[in-house]
Amino acid sequence: MPAATVGTFLVFLIILAALVLFVTEPVPIDVTAIGIMVTLMILGPWTGVSPREGVSGFSNPATITILAMMILSEGVRRTGAIQRLEKTVASYTGESEHKQLGATVGLVGPLSGIINNTAAVAVLLPMVSDLAHENGTSPSKLLIPLSYASMAGGMLTLIGTSTNLLASDVASRLATDYPSLHAFSMFEFTHLGLVVFLVTGVYLLTIGYWLAPSHVTPRSKLETTQKEEFLTEVIVGEESPFIGSTIREALEEVDFEANVTQLIRDGDYHREPRLSMTIREGDTFTIRLTEDALRTLHEVEGIEFVPEVTPPGGLDALGPGQTLIEIVVTAGSDLVGETVESSRFQDQYQTAVLAIRRGGETAYERLTEYRIRPGDLLLIESEPDTVDRLADDPNVIVAGELALQQFRSSKLPIAVGVVLSVVGVAAFGLLPVMVAALGGVMVMIVTGIVKPAEAYGAVQWDVIFLLAGVIPLGRALSETGGADLLGTFVVSTADFLPEIAVLGLFYLLTVAMTNLISNQASVVLLIPVAVDAAARLNANAFAFVLAVTFAASTAFMSPVGYQTNLFVYGPGGYDFSDYARVGGPLQVILGIVTTLGIATFWGI
């Protein structure tokens, strides 16, 4: 076994600290990644990472390509291409849940192979939510499948996920020591990706459909079926007729179902207060109720929404042209860690935040003290032009219908042509994918599909900094011999396991890591280890690279395993356990399918 050096020890210590920070997230993961980069450079004499190498992640072809693909995806979104499909899809699916599910999987899969799966889910989320609500289907039945199918679809091409691009770059850098490795071509693993996507689709239409929950009641059924969906906070005013009544009597008077989760009286907090408690002036109630019931609550006399949650003037000051909109907080959002009040979100957009939903959980904090997390869904009331601004804000995703006239529909043919040209030019090897993608960005800006300011706004800078921060970590792992050390340890399992089982072991190890930390970090850390293990086994190193790549791009078992899982967490009303229940069997199935597929197509 290779001897451990001081550098090896330091790199393992940095990795351990990074894993803890990635899992606990006391600071955003991109901040942790930059901290890793800085630490590696400071300890350069031992880690082997010079200042030039430390910041090389910012100029890395994978980083630049991912940045360009984000802008290309934004160009497609701004043409309203996806929204044009909604009426066609709705006319085909009707009220059939299986047709809706089939259309969801069938749309997001191929789209994820062209414009990046994260962007595909972001643009399809409003359409799928509306499709479910308007046709009597629980969105919970469609949104986890939307996320899972996008991950599988992202494995159809090199540009389908940022993970693929990063894995390609790591493999190309290791090619000098391992001649069997090379950068991925555009359709390098499309045949296996197609198998993975088809297996995922069949699973989602059968077992997955049966396991998926129905937490959120569609709006079209709220008249007959009530479901707790949102969290809001109200104060009993001095003119309220409910003063002196019991909570039960008040609920019967307003004539809708609601769950009073908390009462704040004279500074004391009462969780799940008894319905027999008498209401007093100044009582503050936290209530879970449906959007339909929330609308009714607006009209109840003597009930005031908490001033810090709704703008001065209250809901009565909002105009008749305003509408209720659901927005989802993204992973890199500036809102994360803030409260509704401290974020100044309402002042910035002149909106009223009426309620918050976090998966299927019931929160007991006051809404004024409620710390926003990625995946939270906020119910806001705003004007149409505000909806346009929110649609352009990378901090949130609008999970509701947007009118077609808000998009540059006349630019649709150009945008689609640009994306297809980028794919074609890169696929035929006429230009490197990075150059082709940057060229596509220039065409979109020149033709007015995307304005320069919109292009900058479309970039998820937290992802870019995350990539730039973790890329040097992979180099340090190789330079200090850490990868050799780990590879030797894993190879020891070959004494009692066949090579194909060791390949499957790397798949499972990557899945376990990716469901806890970022998929990019998993690829950077594990590909060097997998390659070294393959070399020691005299096995096909490229096969081991593919096992790590596919596993890192298909993390189904937690809402934090992949960004698309967070996108649907709030709108679907999911619990953490829903991902394990629906995604666990699929993870096992794909582990077997992917391992056997790699062995069949590329050999071990």
Side-chain angles (χ1 to χ4, degrees), residues 155 161-168 170-171 174 181 184 189 192 477 490 502-515 517-534 540-555 562 587 590-591 594-595 598 602:
M155 299 310 298
T161 80
S162 60
T163 312
N164 294 348
L165 290 162
L166 184 57
S168 175
V170 174
L174 292 172
L181 296 181
F184 302 153
F189 41 74
L192 178 57
L477 195 63
V490 175
V502 178
L503 183 70
L505 181 64
F506 268 103
Y507 182 97
L508 294 177
L509 179 62
T510 307
V511 162
M513 184 174 288
T514 304
N515 275 294
I517 66 173
S518 82
N519 47 343
Q520 292 94 347
S522 297
V523 161
V524 167
L525 289 174
L526 291 179
I527 283 183
V529 178
V531 168
D532 187 78
N540 181 2
F542 190 71
F544 280 71
V545 169
L546 287 177
V548 173
T549 303
F550 270 76
S553 297
T554 52
Y562 207 85
Q587 199 87 76
L590 287 189
T594 303
T595 302
I598 291 172
W602 290 276

